[in-house]
Amino acid sequence: DVLSPANFNSPGQIVISGSVDGVRKGMEIAKSQGAKVRELVVSGAFHSPLMEGAREGLRAGLDRTAIQNARIPVYANVTGAPVTRAEEIRDLLYRQLTSPVRWEQTLQQMARDGADTFYELGPGKVLQNFVKRSVVGAAVAGFDRVADIH
């Protein structure tokens, strides 16, 4: 059985990934300790060691993709830190396949770097809620479509 953290979304919310049996066992243990548990139906064991088999294909695709140095820092969910160098961005995209998403850490680093307003593009408010729980006092807004942004 394989079980690993896949997402550190916000205080108190961690998503686990791995083999079906490993995840179910992890859910049972978490529930027995008082955690709220909900199974997410996904098509793969994303951000876990079980994605290792897809790494070479991803590496080949990334090697064929033109990535330039960023003029505006890109916050990498592998580390939670901002990056601008193209090769570092490429490497972090590669590492993300089998590494947990550090969304809470990323949001907190963005706030330390001066961000005080966060926007979510797409239906729903999932990411807005993560911001509210992770960055005290942050302003959040959501847009369903790019055309709605003014």
Side-chain angles (χ1 to χ4, degrees), residues 20-142:
V20 172
D21 288 341
V23 169
R24 289 196 175 138
K25 184 180 269 185
M27 290 172 62
E28 287 174 22
I29 293 168
K31 194 172 184 178
S32 75
Q33 297 297 311
K36 290 182 184 177
V37 175
R38 183 175 73 187
E39 186 170 356
L40 302 176
V41 179
V42 296
S43 60
F46 303 112
H47 308 293
S48 83
L50 293 177
M51 294 302 297
E52 187 68 37
R55 287 186 92 180
E56 289 315 307
L58 177 61
R59 171 66 79 194
L62 287 169
D63 287 345
R64 289 189 309 269
T65 302
I67 298 176
Q68 298 178 358
N69 290 338
R71 289 179 287 178
I72 299 170
V74 174
Y75 283 77
N77 284 323
V78 173
T79 62
V83 294
T84 56
R85 292 185 315 108
E87 285 310 310
E88 189 173 5
I89 293 168
R90 184 183 316 277
D91 180 61
L92 290 166
L93 286 168
Y94 174 72
R95 290 174 43 202
Q96 188 69 77
L97 189 63
T98 57
S99 299
V101 174
R102 299 183 183 283
W103 187 238
E104 178 184 357
Q105 183 180 340
T106 301
L107 291 169
Q108 291 172 346
Q109 183 61 54
M110 292 172 81
R112 282 191 296 273
D113 291 345
D116 60 3
T117 304
F118 295 80
Y119 300 96
E120 178 174 8
L121 179 59
K125 296 184 176 193
V126 172
L127 301 179
Q128 293 174 66
N129 290 329
F130 293 163
V131 172
K132 289 176 185 176
R133 284 181 275 194
S134 299
V135 182
V136 176
V140 298

